[in-house]
Amino acid sequence: MDTPETAARPAAPHQLGGADAFTGPVPGIDDAERFHEGWEARVFALYRALTDRRLFTTDQHRDAVERIDAGQYHEITYFERWLAAIERVVVERGLITAEELDAAQQRRFAGHDDDHPAPPHLAEYAPQDLTAPDTVDPLPVGTRVRLVDGLGRHHRLPDWARGRSGTIHAVRGLFELPDLIVAEASEGRRYPLYAVAIPARAAFPDAHPADVVYLDAYHPYLRQEA
Amino acid sequence: MHTHDAPAVRRQWLTDRVGAVEDALAARDLVDPAAIDDIIDLYRDRLGPQRGAALVARAWTDPGFRARLLRDATEVLTEFGYDGRGTTNSALPFLRLVVVENTADVHNLVVCTLCSCYPLALLGPPPRWYKSAEYRDRAVRRPREVLREFGTEIPDDVQVRVWDSTADCRYLVLPQRPPGTQGRTAEELAALVTPNSLIGTER
C-alpha cells in the first residue's frame, strides 16, 4: 500500500534498476577499453582531481548528472553527462564564474569554426529544507525493515526497492547522508549504513525463487517492521 | 569553412569543452594540468583488474588472508598497503571494500543501478558494459539472463546474490578457485582470474 513515504515520484532518468526500460543485450561485453576518447580520460581525471581536493563531492556531481534533462540523459554518452555536470557544479560552487567558463570556451573554440550543438540542459540547483535526526539507534543484523525514499532530491534509494521489505544482513559503518550533503545540511552527521537482503521474488515477481538482492541503504531509508 | 564529418566535429567540441573548464580552473590555481596527466596514468595503467586478481590469488593460497578479506577487506587493504608503488592519488581512503565469496551454492553479481559505483580505486574505471543502461536495468531484475549473455550459465540449484552498490561501499567478488590448480603459485593463479569474474559476470 502506498503511504506518503512510498508514493510514486516522477520517473527520474537515472532510476534504471529493474525498470524494464532497456531490455536489449548488454553492449560492449568484449570491450576492455576504459576510455574511448582522449577527452573522456581527461574529464574523468578532472573529476578525480577536483573531488580529491574536496572542491566538490561525488554526491554534488551525481546530483548535477541527475538534473540533466530527462529527454537528453540517454541521448548523450556517459562521460558527456560527467562533463556537463562538472561545468555546472564548478560554477554553482563558485569555483569559477560562468563568464570565466564562457571566455575559456570561446578561446578553445576559436580555432574551430564549426557549428556547435547545444550542450545538454540541466535543471537549476534548487535549495532544499531537509530535517534529519541528530542521532539514531543503530538496528541490529536480522532486523526486519521496509525501505522508503530518502529525504532529499538526491537520495540513494533505487525505485525498485521502494516499499519492499527485507532483513538487515550487515552493518557497513557510519556515513554522511548524500541527501544532506547535496542540501549542504550534513554538518558532519553520520548514520548507519546497512546491507539489506531482499528476496528477489519480493522485488520482482518473475525472479528465480532462490535469488536474493542486497542493497546498501542508510538508516533514514529504513522503517523497522514488527 | 572546414568540412568535417560529424563525429570529428563532436569530438573536437567535447575536447574543447573539457580543455576550457580545465583552463578556467587552472587560471584560479584549482587544478594542476600535470596532476591531471598523473591521474590519467594512474587510472589507465597503474590501477586495474590485475590488482583484484592478486588479492583473489592470495586468498586462494592463504586461508587466513581469505578469512580476513571476507571479514574486513578495507582493513586488509590498508594493512597490506595495497598501493605502495607510487600512487599519489588519495583514492584509497575512499575505498570501503566489501568482498563477497562465490561457493558451490552461491554466485555473486555486482551492479550499481543508480550510476556506476565500482571499486575503481582497486580495479581502475569500469568497463563500458558496466555503465550501460541495459546492465543497470537488467542485472538487478534478470541476473541469470544477463549472465547468460556473458556466457555464464548458473545452475538452477545455485543461488544468485545481486549486490546493488549504490552507497559508500564497493564490492569485489572472490571467485572459486578453479579445479586442478594445486601447487600453482599465487602469480600463476592470478593469471587465471578474469576481470569479469571480479564483478561476477563470469563464474
Side-chain angles (χ1 to χ4, degrees), chain A residues 134-196:
Chain A
D134 285 335
T135 57
V136 297
D137 291 327
L139 298 170
V141 167
T143 305
R144 289 277 302 164
V145 294
R146 186 169 54 87
L147 293 151
V148 299
D149 269 341
L151 309 177
R153 176 183 66 234
H154 175 75
H155 69 89
R156 303 298 290 171
L157 191 91
D159 277 357
W160 71 259
R162 182 192 299 132
R164 308 300 183 196
S165 294
T167 307
I168 293 179
H169 165 79
V171 185
R172 298 300 189 203
L174 295 169
F175 296 93
E176 288 189 66
L177 199 62
D179 319 42
L180 298 178
I181 292 171
V182 165
E184 306 212 36
S186 184
E187 294 162 355
R189 279 175 291 179
R190 300 195 302 159
Y191 298 90
L193 176 67
Y194 310 98
V196 178

Side-chain angles (χ1 to χ4, degrees), chain A residues 179-222:
Chain A
D179 319 42
L180 298 178
I181 292 171
V182 165
E184 306 212 36
S186 184
E187 294 162 355
R189 279 175 291 179
R190 300 195 302 159
Y191 298 90
L193 176 67
Y194 310 98
V196 178
I198 302 154
R201 275 267 169 104
F204 307 111
D206 45 356
H208 189 288
D211 295 351
V212 181
V213 189
Y214 293 81
L215 175 71
D216 283 351
Y218 302 91
H219 187 98
Y221 301 179
L222 309 185

Side-chain angles (χ1 to χ4, degrees), chain A residues 13-55 58 62 66 73-84 86-87 90 94-97 100-101 104-120 155-160 169 172 174-176 178 190 193 195 200 204-208 210-218, chain B residues 1-4 7-44 48-49 70 88-94 96 98 100 108 111-118 120-121 123-146 148-151 154-171 195-196:
Chain A
H14 66 289
Q15 285 283 5
L16 291 177
D20 256 352
F22 290 84
T23 55
V26 176
I29 280 177
D30 297 318
D31 184 356
E33 287 296 322
R34 270 39 178 174
F35 303 114
H36 295 80
E37 303 279 354
W39 69 266
E40 292 184 344
R42 200 128 198 113
V43 81
F44 172 86
L46 190 57
Y47 163 84
R48 297 298 313 180
L50 294 167
T51 52
D52 287 348
R53 287 183 63 172
R54 310 285 202 276
L55 295 173
T58 298
R62 280 185 191 136
E66 292 163 9
Y73 183 94
H74 294 295
E75 299 302 314
I76 59 177
T77 64
Y78 177 83
F79 282 117
E80 285 182 65
R81 288 178 218 143
W82 276 44
L83 171 58
I86 290 174
E87 288 171 341
V90 294
L95 302 176
I96 58 173
T97 65
E100 286 168 348
L101 178 58
Q105 287 182 337
Q106 294 315 315
R107 281 192 293 274
R108 287 272 178 170
F109 292 157
H112 321 106
D113 52 1
D114 308 297
D115 289 333
H116 298 121
H155 69 89
R156 303 298 290 171
L157 191 91
D159 277 357
W160 71 259
H169 165 79
R172 298 300 189 203
L174 295 169
F175 296 93
E176 288 189 66
R190 300 195 302 159
L193 176 67
F204 307 111
D206 45 356
H208 189 288
D211 295 351
V212 181
V213 189
Y214 293 81
L215 175 71
D216 283 351
Y218 302 91
Chain B
M1 187 75 179
H2 307 291
T3 54
H4 291 305
V9 169
R10 191 165 188 85
R11 179 181 299 123
Q12 188 62 58
W13 177 61
L14 291 161
T15 302
D16 285 341
R17 279 173 56 200
V18 178
V21 71
E22 186 179 330
D23 291 346
L25 289 161
R28 285 188 172 266
D29 244 352
L30 295 172
V31 295
D32 169 10
I36 302 285
D37 292 336
D38 184 61
I39 293 171
I40 293 173
D41 180 72
L42 168 65
Y43 283 92
R44 187 149 59 191
L70 292 171
T88 56
N89 195 277
S90 56
L92 177 61
F94 306 110
R96 318 271 181 172
V98 176
V100 289
N108 293 283
V111 62
C112 170
T113 63
L114 291 183
C115 49
S116 54
C117 297
Y118 187 80
L120 53 80
L123 303 185
R128 184 160 70 94
W129 59 259
Y130 187 84
K131 302 179 287 188
S132 71
E134 288 81 1
Y135 186 73
R136 286 167 53 191
D137 186 328
R138 296 173 58 217
V140 71
R141 180 171 196 146
R142 308 180 195 286
R144 290 167 187 263
E145 204 179 277
V146 166
R148 212 169 288 130
E149 283 169 30
F150 282 83
I154 302 297
D156 217 33
D157 58 353
V158 172
Q159 180 184 64
V160 174
R161 296 180 181 175
V162 180
W163 300 86
D164 191 355
S165 61
T166 56
D168 292 271
C169 297
R170 301 292 175 266
Y171 285 82
N196 285 354

